Amino acid sequence: MNKKELSEIRKNFSDTSDLFVLNQVATAFVDSEKNIRCQTSRAYHNIASEESDCLMATLKRVLAGTLGKGLLEYEFPKEAYEEGGSQAILYEALQSKLEDETAVTTLMEQIVRNMDYVSTYAILVGHCTYTVFQKSKSDELDPYQSHDYRFLVAAICPVEVRVDGLIYNEDDNAIEKKNVYDRIVAEIPTDGFVYPTFTGRGPDVNHVLYSAHKPKDVNISIIENVLGCPFNRTAQEQKETFQSMMQEIVSDELSYSVITGVNEKLRDIAAEYANEPDLPIVDDIHVRDILLDSGVSQERAEEMQMAYREATQDKPITVNNLIDNKTTISVDGITVSIGKDATDKVRTQCVDGRRYLLIDLDDPAVEINGLTARIAELQPEPAEPESDLTDLPEAEPESDETAV
Protein backbone atom coordinates (compact mmCIF):
# COMPACT_ATOMS: atom_id res chain seq x y z
CA MET A 1 0.00 0.00 0.00
CA ASN A 2 1.59 3.24 -1.08
CA LYS A 3 1.02 6.94 -0.39
CA LYS A 4 -1.23 7.44 -3.41
CA GLU A 5 -3.47 4.49 -2.54
CA LEU A 6 -3.72 5.58 1.09
CA SER A 7 -4.64 9.11 -0.01
CA GLU A 8 -7.38 7.73 -2.26
CA ILE A 9 -9.03 5.83 0.60
CA ARG A 10 -8.71 8.79 2.99
CA LYS A 11 -10.27 11.14 0.48
CA ASN A 12 -13.31 8.93 -0.01
CA PHE A 13 -13.80 7.75 3.59
CA SER A 14 -16.89 9.88 4.16
CA ASP A 15 -20.68 9.89 4.02
CA THR A 16 -20.42 12.53 1.32
CA SER A 17 -18.52 10.26 -1.09
CA ASP A 18 -20.62 8.46 -3.71
CA LEU A 19 -17.96 5.74 -3.87
CA PHE A 20 -17.79 4.83 -0.18
CA VAL A 21 -20.25 3.06 2.13
CA LEU A 22 -19.82 2.15 5.79
CA ASN A 23 -22.08 -0.91 5.87
CA GLN A 24 -21.95 -2.40 9.35
CA VAL A 25 -20.43 -1.37 12.68
CA ALA A 26 -19.57 -3.77 15.50
CA THR A 27 -18.75 -2.38 18.94
CA ALA A 28 -17.64 -3.78 22.29
CA PHE A 29 -16.81 -2.39 25.73
CA VAL A 30 -14.01 -4.13 27.63
CA ASP A 31 -13.48 -3.65 31.36
CA SER A 32 -10.18 -3.60 33.25
CA GLU A 33 -10.37 -7.38 33.83
CA LYS A 34 -10.58 -8.07 30.08
CA ASN A 35 -14.27 -8.94 30.13
CA ILE A 36 -16.46 -7.95 27.19
CA ARG A 37 -19.29 -6.20 28.97
CA CYS A 38 -21.40 -5.52 25.90
CA GLN A 39 -21.21 -6.28 22.21
CA THR A 40 -23.33 -5.08 19.30
CA SER A 41 -23.36 -5.23 15.51
CA ARG A 42 -25.63 -2.82 13.66
CA ALA A 43 -26.24 -1.61 10.15
CA TYR A 44 -24.68 1.84 9.87
CA HIS A 45 -27.71 3.37 8.16
CA ASN A 46 -29.89 2.42 11.16
CA ILE A 47 -27.73 4.35 13.63
CA ALA A 48 -28.86 7.84 14.64
CA SER A 49 -26.85 10.58 12.94
CA GLU A 50 -25.47 11.96 16.23
CA GLU A 51 -23.86 8.59 16.94
CA SER A 52 -23.03 7.60 13.35
CA ASP A 53 -21.10 10.84 12.80
CA CYS A 54 -18.90 10.03 15.81
CA LEU A 55 -18.34 6.47 14.59
CA MET A 56 -17.39 7.65 11.10
CA ALA A 57 -14.96 10.28 12.43
CA THR A 58 -13.26 7.85 14.83
CA LEU A 59 -12.86 5.06 12.27
CA LYS A 60 -11.43 7.49 9.71
CA ARG A 61 -8.75 8.55 12.22
CA VAL A 62 -7.29 5.04 11.95
CA LEU A 63 -6.08 6.10 8.49
CA ALA A 64 -4.38 9.22 9.83
CA GLY A 65 -0.62 9.31 10.12
CA THR A 66 2.39 8.76 7.90
CA LEU A 67 3.23 5.51 6.15
CA GLY A 68 6.33 3.99 7.68
CA LYS A 69 5.83 5.85 10.97
CA GLY A 70 2.32 5.80 12.45
CA LEU A 71 1.03 3.47 9.72
CA LEU A 72 2.94 0.20 9.42
CA GLU A 73 2.16 -2.51 6.89
CA TYR A 74 2.77 -6.15 7.80
CA GLU A 75 2.65 -9.40 5.88
CA PHE A 76 1.05 -12.39 7.57
CA PRO A 77 3.31 -15.37 8.29
CA LYS A 78 2.25 -18.85 7.12
CA GLU A 79 0.80 -19.90 10.48
CA ALA A 80 -1.64 -16.97 10.42
CA TYR A 81 -3.64 -18.74 7.67
CA GLU A 82 -4.25 -21.86 9.74
CA GLU A 83 -7.56 -22.45 11.49
CA GLY A 84 -7.75 -20.07 14.44
CA GLY A 85 -4.92 -17.99 13.00
CA SER A 86 -5.09 -14.21 12.89
CA GLN A 87 -5.51 -13.91 9.12
CA ALA A 88 -8.17 -16.61 9.08
CA ILE A 89 -10.14 -14.81 11.79
CA LEU A 90 -9.93 -11.46 9.99
CA TYR A 91 -10.87 -13.02 6.67
CA GLU A 92 -13.92 -14.74 8.17
CA ALA A 93 -15.09 -11.49 9.75
CA LEU A 94 -14.59 -9.72 6.42
CA GLN A 95 -16.56 -12.33 4.51
CA SER A 96 -19.39 -12.22 7.05
CA LYS A 97 -19.65 -8.42 6.63
CA LEU A 98 -19.83 -8.30 10.46
CA GLU A 99 -23.38 -9.64 10.23
CA ASP A 100 -22.56 -13.07 11.68
CA GLU A 101 -22.50 -12.99 15.47
CA THR A 102 -20.05 -15.87 15.79
CA ALA A 103 -17.53 -14.26 13.44
CA VAL A 104 -17.83 -10.92 15.26
CA THR A 105 -17.40 -12.58 18.68
CA THR A 106 -14.34 -14.50 17.48
CA LEU A 107 -12.77 -11.27 16.20
CA MET A 108 -13.51 -9.37 19.41
CA GLU A 109 -12.11 -12.19 21.56
CA GLN A 110 -8.99 -12.35 19.39
CA ILE A 111 -8.37 -8.68 20.22
CA VAL A 112 -9.28 -8.85 23.91
CA ARG A 113 -7.40 -12.07 24.74
CA ASN A 114 -4.18 -11.07 23.04
CA MET A 115 -3.90 -7.29 23.46
CA ASP A 116 -2.19 -5.61 26.40
CA TYR A 117 -3.98 -2.40 27.40
CA VAL A 118 -3.69 -0.23 30.49
CA SER A 119 -7.33 0.82 30.92
CA THR A 120 -10.89 0.03 30.00
CA TYR A 121 -11.48 0.50 26.30
CA ALA A 122 -13.93 0.23 23.44
CA ILE A 123 -13.48 -1.65 20.18
CA LEU A 124 -15.10 -0.21 17.06
CA VAL A 125 -14.99 -2.23 13.84
CA GLY A 126 -16.50 -1.09 10.56
CA HIS A 127 -17.16 -3.07 7.39
CA CYS A 128 -16.67 -0.75 4.43
CA THR A 129 -17.08 -0.85 0.66
CA TYR A 130 -15.20 1.43 -1.70
CA THR A 131 -16.09 1.33 -5.40
CA VAL A 132 -12.88 1.41 -7.43
CA PHE A 133 -13.07 2.61 -11.01
CA GLN A 134 -10.28 1.48 -13.29
CA LYS A 135 -7.85 4.13 -14.51
CA SER A 136 -6.35 4.62 -17.95
CA LYS A 137 -2.67 5.25 -18.58
CA SER A 138 -3.43 8.97 -18.43
CA ASP A 139 -4.85 8.45 -14.90
CA GLU A 140 -8.44 9.04 -16.04
CA LEU A 141 -11.30 7.03 -14.54
CA ASP A 142 -13.16 4.57 -16.74
CA PRO A 143 -16.88 4.83 -15.74
CA TYR A 144 -17.64 1.43 -17.29
CA GLN A 145 -15.09 -0.68 -15.39
CA SER A 146 -15.14 -0.94 -11.62
CA HIS A 147 -14.84 -3.37 -8.72
CA ASP A 148 -15.51 -3.22 -4.99
CA TYR A 149 -12.80 -3.05 -2.36
CA ARG A 150 -14.31 -4.38 0.86
CA PHE A 151 -12.35 -3.94 4.05
CA LEU A 152 -12.47 -3.85 7.83
CA VAL A 153 -11.26 -0.88 9.83
CA ALA A 154 -10.85 -1.34 13.59
CA ALA A 155 -10.28 1.31 16.23
CA ILE A 156 -9.16 0.78 19.84
CA CYS A 157 -10.33 3.70 21.98
CA PRO A 158 -9.65 4.24 25.69
CA VAL A 159 -12.70 4.78 27.89
CA GLU A 160 -12.36 7.49 30.52
CA VAL A 161 -14.55 8.07 33.53
CA ARG A 162 -15.59 11.69 33.53
CA VAL A 163 -15.72 12.97 37.12
CA ASP A 164 -17.57 16.27 36.98
CA GLY A 165 -17.74 18.77 39.78
CA LEU A 166 -20.92 20.59 40.65
CA ILE A 167 -23.73 20.55 38.09
CA TYR A 168 -26.99 22.40 37.64
CA ASN A 169 -29.96 20.05 38.10
CA GLU A 170 -32.82 21.42 36.03
CA ASP A 171 -35.40 19.13 37.63
CA ASP A 172 -34.65 20.32 41.17
CA ASN A 173 -33.50 23.78 40.07
CA ALA A 174 -30.40 23.37 42.19
CA ILE A 175 -26.63 23.24 41.98
CA GLU A 176 -25.41 19.91 43.30
CA LYS A 177 -22.82 17.16 42.96
CA LYS A 178 -23.36 14.77 40.10
CA ASN A 179 -24.01 11.24 41.34
CA VAL A 180 -23.73 9.29 38.07
CA TYR A 181 -20.40 9.31 36.24
CA ASP A 182 -20.11 9.11 32.47
CA ARG A 183 -17.80 6.67 30.70
CA ILE A 184 -16.56 8.56 27.66
CA VAL A 185 -15.16 6.72 24.63
CA ALA A 186 -12.23 8.75 23.30
CA GLU A 187 -12.76 10.17 19.82
CA ILE A 188 -9.13 9.51 18.87
CA PRO A 189 -8.12 5.83 18.89
CA THR A 190 -4.74 4.89 20.31
CA ASP A 191 -4.43 1.97 17.90
CA GLY A 192 -6.21 0.35 15.01
CA PHE A 193 -5.81 -1.62 11.83
CA VAL A 194 -7.13 -1.94 8.28
CA TYR A 195 -7.63 -5.33 6.61
CA PRO A 196 -7.03 -6.12 3.81
CA THR A 197 -4.69 -3.42 2.54
CA PHE A 198 -5.52 -1.41 -0.58
CA THR A 199 -2.62 -2.44 -2.80
CA GLY A 200 -2.57 -1.97 -6.56
CA ARG A 201 -5.95 -0.31 -6.04
CA GLY A 202 -7.40 -3.60 -4.88
CA PRO A 203 -7.59 -5.86 -1.80
CA ASP A 204 -4.47 -7.66 -0.61
CA VAL A 205 -5.62 -10.24 1.94
CA ASN A 206 -2.02 -11.18 2.72
CA HIS A 207 -1.23 -7.82 4.32
CA VAL A 208 -2.65 -5.71 7.14
CA LEU A 209 -2.05 -2.04 8.01
CA TYR A 210 -1.46 -1.29 11.70
CA SER A 211 -2.15 2.25 12.96
CA ALA A 212 -0.62 3.93 16.02
CA HIS A 213 -1.74 7.40 17.10
CA LYS A 214 1.69 7.92 18.65
CA PRO A 215 4.39 6.42 16.38
CA LYS A 216 6.84 6.32 19.30
CA ASP A 217 4.37 4.33 21.42
CA VAL A 218 3.50 1.29 19.33
CA ASN A 219 1.43 -1.44 21.00
CA ILE A 220 3.54 -4.43 20.05
CA SER A 221 0.98 -6.89 21.46
CA ILE A 222 -1.50 -5.90 18.73
CA ILE A 223 1.03 -6.51 15.96
CA GLU A 224 2.47 -9.76 17.29
CA ASN A 225 -0.41 -11.33 19.23
CA VAL A 226 -3.61 -9.93 17.71
CA LEU A 227 -2.49 -9.65 14.08
CA GLY A 228 0.07 -12.44 14.40
CA CYS A 229 2.84 -10.61 12.52
CA PRO A 230 6.53 -10.35 13.47
CA PHE A 231 7.18 -6.86 14.81
CA ASN A 232 9.57 -4.52 13.02
CA ARG A 233 11.33 -1.67 14.77
CA THR A 234 9.43 1.59 15.05
CA ALA A 235 10.54 4.65 13.09
CA GLN A 236 12.13 6.04 16.26
CA GLU A 237 14.00 2.80 16.91
CA GLN A 238 15.25 2.71 13.32
CA LYS A 239 16.60 6.23 13.70
CA GLU A 240 18.22 5.43 17.03
CA THR A 241 19.86 2.34 15.52
CA PHE A 242 21.27 4.40 12.65
CA GLN A 243 22.57 7.10 15.01
CA SER A 244 24.12 4.49 17.29
CA MET A 245 26.03 2.98 14.35
CA MET A 246 27.17 6.44 13.25
CA GLN A 247 28.38 7.24 16.77
CA GLU A 248 30.27 3.98 17.12
CA ILE A 249 31.72 3.54 13.63
CA VAL A 250 32.28 7.04 12.25
CA SER A 251 33.16 8.28 15.77
CA ASP A 252 36.20 10.59 15.57
CA GLU A 253 35.26 11.70 12.03
CA LEU A 254 31.92 13.08 13.13
CA SER A 255 31.81 16.86 12.81
CA TYR A 256 29.18 19.54 12.32
CA SER A 257 29.67 19.46 8.56
CA VAL A 258 29.51 15.66 8.37
CA ILE A 259 26.37 15.36 10.51
CA THR A 260 24.49 18.15 8.74
CA GLY A 261 25.77 16.95 5.37
CA VAL A 262 24.34 13.45 5.90
CA ASN A 263 21.00 14.92 6.95
CA GLU A 264 20.87 17.22 3.91
CA LYS A 265 21.60 14.35 1.53
CA LEU A 266 18.88 12.23 3.11
CA ARG A 267 16.52 15.18 2.69
CA ASP A 268 17.53 15.48 -0.97
CA ILE A 269 16.59 11.83 -1.56
CA ALA A 270 13.20 12.36 0.10
CA ALA A 271 12.56 15.46 -2.02
CA GLU A 272 13.54 13.64 -5.21
CA TYR A 273 10.89 10.96 -4.61
CA ALA A 274 8.28 13.20 -2.97
CA ASN A 275 5.84 12.74 -5.85
CA GLU A 276 6.40 9.01 -6.16
CA PRO A 277 3.73 6.71 -4.68
CA ASP A 278 6.22 4.42 -2.92
CA LEU A 279 8.27 5.53 0.06
CA PRO A 280 11.99 6.01 -0.74
CA ILE A 281 14.34 3.74 1.16
CA VAL A 282 18.02 3.82 2.07
CA ASP A 283 20.03 0.68 1.40
CA ASP A 284 23.63 0.00 2.37
CA ILE A 285 24.97 1.41 -0.93
CA HIS A 286 23.14 4.69 -0.27
CA VAL A 287 24.62 4.85 3.23
CA ARG A 288 28.18 4.39 1.95
CA ASP A 289 27.82 7.00 -0.79
CA ILE A 290 26.13 9.52 1.49
CA LEU A 291 28.98 9.25 3.99
CA LEU A 292 31.62 9.57 1.30
CA ASP A 293 29.92 12.66 -0.13
CA SER A 294 29.78 14.15 3.36
CA GLY A 295 33.53 13.87 3.89
CA VAL A 296 33.84 10.54 5.72
CA SER A 297 36.85 8.37 4.86
CA GLN A 298 36.53 5.35 2.58
CA GLU A 299 37.38 2.95 5.41
CA ARG A 300 34.72 4.29 7.79
CA ALA A 301 32.08 4.54 5.04
CA GLU A 302 32.55 0.90 3.99
CA GLU A 303 32.54 -0.25 7.62
CA MET A 304 29.26 1.63 8.13
CA GLN A 305 27.88 0.04 4.96
CA MET A 306 28.48 -3.49 6.28
CA ALA A 307 27.08 -2.69 9.72
CA TYR A 308 23.95 -1.14 8.21
CA ARG A 309 23.38 -4.16 5.96
CA GLU A 310 23.67 -6.48 8.96
CA ALA A 311 21.37 -4.34 11.15
CA THR A 312 18.58 -4.00 8.59
CA GLN A 313 18.72 -7.64 7.45
CA ASP A 314 17.81 -6.77 3.85
CA LYS A 315 14.91 -4.57 5.07
CA PRO A 316 16.17 -1.06 4.26
CA ILE A 317 14.91 1.86 6.33
CA THR A 318 12.58 4.49 4.91
CA VAL A 319 14.44 7.74 4.26
CA ASN A 320 11.92 9.86 6.15
CA ASN A 321 12.56 7.88 9.33
CA LEU A 322 16.19 9.06 9.40
CA ILE A 323 15.70 12.76 8.63
CA ASP A 324 15.95 15.47 11.27
CA ASN A 325 13.75 18.47 10.51
CA LYS A 326 16.06 20.69 12.50
CA THR A 327 19.60 20.55 13.79
CA THR A 328 20.10 20.79 17.55
CA ILE A 329 23.44 21.58 19.16
CA SER A 330 23.72 20.97 22.89
CA VAL A 331 26.47 21.65 25.41
CA ASP A 332 26.27 22.13 29.16
CA GLY A 333 23.54 24.68 29.83
CA ILE A 334 23.19 25.72 26.17
CA THR A 335 20.93 24.39 23.40
CA VAL A 336 20.87 25.88 19.92
CA SER A 337 18.13 24.87 17.46
CA ILE A 338 18.88 25.42 13.77
CA GLY A 339 16.25 25.30 11.03
CA LYS A 340 16.80 23.05 8.01
CA ASP A 341 17.57 26.05 5.75
CA ALA A 342 20.05 27.69 8.10
CA THR A 343 22.68 25.02 8.72
CA ASP A 344 25.14 26.85 6.48
CA LYS A 345 24.99 29.90 8.80
CA VAL A 346 26.58 27.95 11.66
CA ARG A 347 30.09 26.58 11.95
CA THR A 348 32.53 25.40 14.55
CA GLN A 349 36.00 26.86 14.78
CA CYS A 350 39.08 26.73 16.96
CA VAL A 351 40.63 30.14 17.73
CA ASP A 352 43.77 30.54 19.84
CA GLY A 353 43.28 27.08 21.32
CA ARG A 354 39.62 27.63 22.26
CA ARG A 355 36.66 26.02 20.50
CA TYR A 356 33.80 28.25 19.34
CA LEU A 357 30.37 27.90 17.78
CA LEU A 358 29.96 30.73 15.29
CA ILE A 359 26.62 31.92 13.89
CA ASP A 360 26.42 34.29 10.94
CA LEU A 361 23.93 37.09 11.61
CA ASP A 362 22.50 38.78 8.53
CA ASP A 363 20.58 41.21 10.74
CA PRO A 364 22.23 43.21 13.54
CA ALA A 365 19.17 42.57 15.73
CA VAL A 366 18.34 39.22 17.33
CA GLU A 367 15.41 38.12 19.48
CA ILE A 368 16.27 37.00 23.00
CA ASN A 369 13.49 35.79 25.31
CA GLY A 370 10.96 37.53 23.09
CA LEU A 371 12.79 40.85 23.13
CA THR A 372 14.71 42.35 20.26
CA ALA A 373 18.33 43.02 21.11
CA ARG A 374 21.01 44.57 18.97
CA ILE A 375 24.50 43.19 18.63
CA ALA A 376 27.04 45.84 19.55
CA GLU A 377 29.29 46.93 16.73
CA LEU A 378 32.99 46.36 17.21
CA GLN A 379 34.84 49.59 17.91
CA PRO A 380 37.94 50.11 15.74
CA GLU A 381 41.17 49.77 17.65
CA PRO A 382 43.07 53.04 18.14
CA ALA A 383 45.57 53.70 15.35
CA GLU A 384 49.24 53.29 16.08
CA PRO A 385 51.08 56.67 16.32
CA GLU A 386 52.94 57.52 13.17
CA SER A 387 56.62 56.70 13.37
CA ASP A 388 59.23 59.39 12.95
CA LEU A 389 60.62 59.28 9.44
CA THR A 390 64.12 59.14 10.86
CA ASP A 391 63.32 55.76 12.42
CA LEU A 392 62.46 54.21 9.11
CA PRO A 393 65.10 52.05 7.43
CA GLU A 394 66.58 53.36 4.26
CA ALA A 395 64.88 52.13 1.11
CA GLU A 396 66.68 49.51 -0.85
CA PRO A 397 67.80 50.75 -4.28
CA GLU A 398 65.45 49.52 -7.00
CA SER A 399 66.81 46.64 -9.02
CA ASP A 400 66.89 46.71 -12.76
CA GLU A 401 65.89 43.03 -12.81
CA THR A 402 62.24 42.13 -13.10
CA ALA A 403 61.05 39.77 -10.36
CA VAL A 404 59.41 36.57 -11.53
Side-chain angles (χ1 to χ4, degrees), residues 160-184:
E160 303 169 352
V161 176
R162 177 174 290 175
V163 181
D164 295 308
L166 298 176
I167 64 167
Y168 171 65
N169 187 327
E170 293 186 20
D171 295 333
D172 298 335
N173 193 30
I175 294 177
E176 59 187 27
K177 183 73 173 68
K178 186 175 181 179
N179 294 320
V180 179
Y181 300 138
D182 295 324
R183 295 181 181 272
I184 307 298

